[in-house]
Amino acid sequence: MAPCAHSSSSPLLTSKEEEKYADVKWDELEFALVPTDYMYVAKYKQGESFSEGEIVPYGDISISPCAGILNYGQGLFEGLKAYRTEDGRITLFRPEENALRMQIGADRLCMTPPSPDQFVEAVKQTVLANNKWVPPPGKGALYIRPLLIGTGAILGVASAPEYTFLIYTSPVGNYHKASSGLNLKVDDKHRRAHSGGTGGVKSCTNYSPVLKSLVEAKSSGFSDVLFLDAATGKNIEEISTCNIFILKGNIVSTPPTSGTILPGITRKTISELARDIGYQVQERDVSIDELLEAEEVFCTGTAMVLKAVDTVTFDDKNIKYKTGEEALSTKLHLMLTNIQTGVVENNKGWMVDISS
Ligand SMILES: *Cc1c(COP(=O)(O)O)cnc(C)c1O
């Protein structure tokens, strides 16, 4: 159990309300694992289709030392959130988008994915089984982590004979502790992805290679790393776990999803919201020079939602950007969180009510 998981009672909740909540200090939630009661597990065996899947107690799983995921990294993950609304409903944000992204990733890694319907249904079941762990309105969200991993034994490099589709959850608060903007370091040495590689899918193999860069940057006081394209080293791509936008005048620009950056669902959503309020949104190569001359920079991803960038450091240059009340990033953040938490009615079909 994470240290913040226990509290004798929460002064904010009446005793009746307390019964519907797990014993968590909701005001102290971070982006860290707080194990919940249940997880979902389904298996696929070569030549068969995905098993129906079941909700089982959350806990360790047993796999062969020769499993495809352990030896060759054959695995994908997803990330989405469930929210509790003021009127007591539990909702998901665009879960079918995660289901579709898993299909594309599975194809790239030669795995058979669960159908999009099974994916969304499994997410619903997992959240409902853990509904005590969905934070009270405004206190955070239940982060949902689906995995599709090669669990069958395979000695030579090949696709594993068995895959496991597993979903676990954890209540989470803010991804970055500081409430101020991000201080990004441009990494001109390591590359995250290359043309023809797996940068465009949520392959487990994409994340440990960025750790060296991330650890170095964090030890020098930066919040995260911004990677450049491998082909030219002149264009910005994305951060270790989120997408990037720049603002100049009336134009919001973000790098294109041509295989080296992850096609973020938050990225797609924010592009649409920015267009709705009259900004021109361009998906195109964005050079490091343009980044340095932008008025605002911000990042998007499920875990952090939308975060303004305060400074970017590249070589000996340190650029400061507009943040705060008047910034577009603040406006877009509010638009999106109001939709996600149910404060504002959403007419785009983005919120899926799973409590009824
Ligand atoms: C998950 C992820 C994102 C953000 O995608 P969302 O769908 O918005 O959560 C961006 N970049 C990388 C590398 C990621 O892994």
Side-chain angles (χ1 to χ4, degrees):
M1 278 278 175
C4 68
H6 294 283
S7 69
S8 50
S9 74
S10 171
L12 294 172
L13 305 171
T14 65
S15 60
K16 184 156 175 288
E17 276 181 317
E18 246 176 68
E19 288 164 24
K20 76 178 190 200
Y21 288 109
D23 196 10
V24 174
K25 285 185 176 161
W26 298 111
D27 291 315
E28 292 172 22
L29 277 181
E30 297 175 12
F31 198 90
L33 181 69
V34 176
T36 61
D37 297 325
Y38 299 102
M39 62 186 189
Y40 172 97
V41 182
K43 294 201 188 255
Y44 170 90
K45 288 198 172 57
Q46 224 163 40
E48 298 172 15
S49 56
F50 250 103
S51 71
E52 225 170 66
E54 51 181 352
I55 297 289
V56 298
Y58 175 85
D60 293 353
I61 58 168
S62 168
I63 53 174
S64 163
C66 194
I69 178 68
L70 294 180
N71 292 261
Y72 303 123
Q74 191 183 27
L76 292 168
F77 69 94
E78 269 302 331
L80 65 161
K81 282 176 173 173
Y83 297 87
R84 194 186 296 273
T85 63
E86 287 289 350
D87 58 0
R89 291 172 299 125
I90 293 178
T91 59
L92 298 171
F93 181 68
R94 311 189 80 174
E96 66 292 343
E97 294 284 337
N98 299 89
L100 294 174
R101 191 164 64 191
M102 180 168 274
Q103 303 275 309
I104 295 166
D107 180 63
R108 181 67 181 80
L109 299 190
C110 274
M111 291 189 286
T112 300
S115 70
D117 283 348
Q118 181 172 6
F119 180 103
V120 174
E121 184 53 35
V123 167
K124 284 184 191 174
Q125 283 181 26
T126 316
V127 172
L128 290 177
N130 291 303
N131 79 74
K132 280 168 39 184
W133 300 89
V134 182
K139 300 289 180 196
L142 187 70
Y143 184 75
I144 304 154
R145 173 54 65 81
L147 298 175
L148 179 65
I149 50 179
T151 40
I154 190 83
L155 190 59
V157 174
S159 188
E162 181 201 86
Y163 314 119
T164 299
F165 174 48
L166 188 154
I167 306 176
Y168 66 90
T169 62
S170 174
V172 296
N174 286 335
Y175 189 76
H176 289 276
K177 275 190 202 126
S179 55
S180 55
L182 303 175
N183 298 307
L184 298 181
K185 182 189 172 195
V186 178
D187 188 334
D188 202 13
K189 196 166 69 181
H190 309 93
R191 301 289 186 241
R192 195 193 88 94
H194 57 86
S195 170
T198 57
V201 298
K202 263 178 131 65
S203 168
C204 297
T205 55
N206 292 342
Y207 299 86
S208 52
V210 307
L211 289 179
K212 195 164 173 58
S213 175
L214 192 59
V215 167
E216 268 174 35
K218 286 199 168 169
S219 70
S220 323
F222 294 101
S223 21
D224 218 317
V225 175
L226 172 57
F227 291 97
L228 301 177
D229 75 301
T232 70
K234 291 193 166 67
N235 297 319
I236 62 171
E237 295 233 299
E238 63 174 326
I239 325 302
S240 52
T241 57
C242 58
N243 296 116
I244 189 165
F245 288 82
I246 69 166
L247 170 72
K248 181 97 189 220
N250 188 46
I251 303 177
V252 175
S253 307
T254 191
T257 51
S258 45
T260 53
I261 72 163
L262 201 281
I265 297 160
T266 323
R267 171 186 177 278
K268 181 171 162 177
T269 304
I270 285 295
S271 295
E272 190 169 333
L273 292 176
R275 284 194 183 102
D276 286 352
I277 55 170
Y279 286 84
Q280 198 184 324
V281 178
Q282 298 183 347
E283 297 194 19
R284 58 174 177 85
D285 289 341
V286 176
S287 70
I288 182 87
D289 294 338
E290 276 185 87
L291 170 78
L292 300 178
E293 282 158 19
E295 290 156 21
E296 278 185 45
V297 179
F298 50 90
C299 295
T300 62
T302 296
M304 65 168 53
V305 185
L306 185 152
K307 199 86 173 138
V309 173
D310 200 21
T311 68
V312 164
T313 301
F314 176 57
D315 287 343
D316 53 357
K317 299 183 200 69
N318 180 266
I319 313 292
K320 192 161 166 45
Y321 300 98
K322 181 174 167 183
T323 60
E325 290 301 308
E326 301 296 309
L328 174 64
S329 60
T330 304
K331 185 167 190 174
L332 290 171
H333 178 264
L334 190 67
M335 285 175 78
L336 179 52
T337 52
N338 276 347
I339 292 171
Q340 290 175 327
T341 56
V343 170
V344 163
E345 186 70 35
N346 173 240
N347 56 12
K348 297 176 192 270
W350 287 343
M351 302 312 298
V352 177
D353 187 342
I354 62 168
S355 47
S356 48

